Amino acid sequence: KAVVNGRSVYANIKNAITFLLSGNTAGILCVLYTSLLALPVPFQPVHLLFINLLTDSLPAIALGMEPARPGLMDQPPRDPNASMMDKPMLTRVFGQGLMIGIASMTAFYIGLNQSGPALASTMAFATLCLSRLFHGFNCKSGRPVIFTRAFWNNKFLLGAFAVGALLLAAVLLIPPLEPLFQVAELSVGLVGCIVGLAFGSMVVIQVLKAIRSMGKK
């Protein structure tokens, strides 16, 4: 039981680090992309502060409380000298960050073409924020969890997602908060677009996990 708990704690720490690094990689890629192409700034400072302090911290903590998954004792012992930040983990961080970044930049272009920089920034911020909330479920396991019981087995992660989504909805939909967080007014269609892109990024990552899992068999 002690070994199972130890392996579970190690896996949870690694998953939480993957979550934080891949989400931040997405933001860095978005800023780098817009800078290289001389596009308007995709995120305001208050947007990044909101993401890092509120919608990132809760899922990261919740991932640290993930229940031990079956099959931990079937794995061979881990090399005590091996680095946690190994090549497969770094590959996942960049690949997942790239997927989230693509979703955010797609939303950015939709807003830019429809209304201008203010709406583009709002769309990119909201999509990045919601994508990172969905991304918490990607980081539960190295295998796909969507449409399985494992998707629902961490009540803390479900709570973190709900709280983060409510905070984001308040920022986007309550008029007095719009100037405080420098967001533009969104139509119902644009809100649906944000949700679709954010959820779509999670689905793509889950599909890639499934393909990789099949390749290992």
Side-chain angles (χ1 to χ4, degrees):
K1 186 174 181 180
V3 174
V4 170
N5 287 337
R7 290 187 173 192
S8 179
V9 168
Y10 180 86
N12 289 348
I13 291 173
K14 195 168 184 176
N15 290 340
I17 292 175
T18 300
F19 167 78
L20 292 171
L21 290 180
S22 54
N24 287 325
T25 297
I28 291 171
L29 290 174
C30 290
V31 173
L32 181 62
Y33 176 82
T34 53
S35 297
L36 291 175
L37 296 184
L39 294 169
V41 177
F43 312 113
Q44 302 301 322
V46 68
H47 295 164
L48 299 177
L49 192 64
F50 178 89
I51 292 172
N52 288 323
L53 292 182
L54 297 176
T55 57
D56 257 10
S57 57
L58 294 177
I61 294 171
L63 284 169
M65 306 177 76
E66 185 76 15
R69 65 179 183 272
L72 279 177
M73 292 304 293
D74 296 332
Q75 299 176 358
R78 176 178 54 84
D79 182 357
N81 297 318
S83 172
M84 179 179 288
M85 301 286 292
D86 54 14
K87 185 177 179 180
M89 179 179 175
L90 293 175
T91 301
R92 288 196 300 273
V93 165
F94 181 80
Q96 293 170 7
L98 180 61
M99 292 298 104
I100 296 173
I102 290 173
S104 301
M105 282 295 92
T106 301
F108 177 85
Y109 272 113
I110 292 173
L112 190 64
N113 293 331
Q114 181 162 329
S115 180
L119 183 59
S121 177
T122 301
M123 293 286 290
F125 155 65
T127 303
L128 178 65
C129 190
L130 189 57
S131 294
R132 288 166 79 156
L133 289 173
F134 277 119
H135 189 48
F137 297 100
N138 289 325
C139 295
K140 287 168 63 72
S141 171
R143 295 180 177 274
V145 297
I146 194 169
F147 304 130
T148 70
R149 290 184 178 180
F151 189 89
W152 309 97
N153 69 346
N154 186 343
K155 62 182 181 181
F156 301 102
L157 185 58
L158 294 172
F161 178 87
V163 171
L166 286 174
L167 289 172
L168 178 61
V171 168
L172 296 176
L173 303 178
I174 297 179
L177 295 179
E178 290 178 3
L180 181 63
F181 288 94
Q182 299 182 37
V183 295
E185 185 177 351
L186 297 174
S187 66
V188 174
L190 290 176
V191 172
C193 182
I194 290 167
V195 174
L197 286 169
F199 182 75
S201 68
M202 182 187 71
V203 172
V204 170
I205 293 172
Q206 289 287 299
V207 170
L208 293 175
K209 283 178 179 285
I211 294 172
R212 187 173 65 248
S213 298
M214 289 187 293
K216 291 180 179 179
K217 293 181 180 180

